Amino acid sequence: MTEIDTSPLVLHGRRRSVARLRAGVVLLETGGVRHRIPVAAIARVDATGPGGRVLTVVVATTPTDPVTYSLTSRSAPAVQAFAEAVRRALPVRDADEPRPQVSAEPVERSGPYLGYAILGVLLLTYVLVPVVLVNRGAGEQAVVLWLAGPMLTGAGSTVLPSGVRTVREAVVLRRRGITVEGRRERSYEVGTGEDAVTHHTYAYVDALGNARTRSGRQGGADEVDILYDPEDPEGTTKVGHRTAGHLALGLFRLVLGLSTVSAGLWAMGVGTVALLH
């Protein structure tokens, strides 16, 4: 192991993803999976995406079979520094020289103990407040509103981010999206019984020649159009080249989320006023 084979840099990204360079291997943890990417298998590494905040590692197990791994960080300088560290570790090799394989393993994460403690306090408050309201004779309406308020707020808070994300995706794809042909690789069921939902995985090649895949509920045909954002090719994609329906769905979720959160906050406010009097 040499100095360039290992770096002290740790690159953190969205959804608890993280990348490290250890003993000639890029350790990329994302989506609950740790990918072990030997530097000898890397064709190139770039800082891409909006503001250069996306680390993109292109692996070519064969010269004609590139696979892309990525991590989106909040810090563009951190992405650039990590990319430079990996570039320094890349060996000089012949184009037709066999490349080592990338391996993957599930990541065991420790439980969020602080989160559990906060959740326990909130649940205890949720249960104790109605008891106090009943003892004070606040009335059935105040108790019902207090019990319904957090549920409405929680439901709206779940829908609202989804609406914001969907609207943003529609706007971005409409403005700078690129459409390519996608071929269905497989379909599979997510869930069991009546809750099972069919997902489809499509393979496609982006405008730069990188092989990519997209999985989700959209699609079903053997061949479809894939619309993707060239600045975020792993995170912003959809099946089909039209964005009007995507935008309408996002706006509906926004209105629904805002209405539900507002109703929940109002109900909790009524219950709190009754508690204080």
Side-chain angles (χ1 to χ4, degrees), residues 191-240:
T192 57
E194 297 181 354
D195 297 328
V197 178
T198 302
H199 284 224
H200 311 282
T201 298
Y202 287 94
Y204 65 97
V205 178
D206 66 17
L208 299 178
N210 298 319
R212 301 185 183 278
T213 59
R214 187 208 185 271
S215 297
R217 298 173 61 177
Q218 295 178 331
D222 291 335
E223 294 183 357
V224 298
D225 287 342
I226 300 292
L227 181 63
Y228 76 94
D229 175 15
E231 296 189 7
D232 186 19
E234 297 291 329
T236 306
T237 64
K238 72 176 294 291
V239 173

Side-chain angles (χ1 to χ4, degrees), residues 45-67:
V45 57
D46 300 304
T48 61
R53 296 185 295 109
V54 179
L55 176 73
T56 300
V57 179
V58 180
V59 174
T61 52
T62 66
T64 59
D65 184 24
V67 179

Side-chain angles (χ1 to χ4, degrees), residues 4 80 92 109 139 144 194 205 209 254:
I4 63 172
Q80 185 62 47
V92 178
R109 299 187 182 277
V144 172
E194 297 181 354
V205 178
L254 273 177

Side-chain angles (χ1 to χ4, degrees), residues 128-140 142-143 271-277:
L128 289 179
V129 168
V131 174
V132 175
L133 289 174
V134 171
N135 290 335
R136 290 189 175 184
E140 180 179 343
V143 175
T272 302
V273 169
L275 178 66
L276 297 177
H277 283 74

Side-chain angles (χ1 to χ4, degrees), residues 3-26:
E3 183 177 352
I4 63 172
D5 290 327
T6 297
S7 172
L9 297 175
V10 180
L11 182 62
H12 291 278
R14 296 187 305 185
R15 302 187 181 101
R16 302 178 67 183
S17 57
V18 61
R20 297 178 174 86
L21 176 61
R22 296 288 184 272
V25 176
V26 175

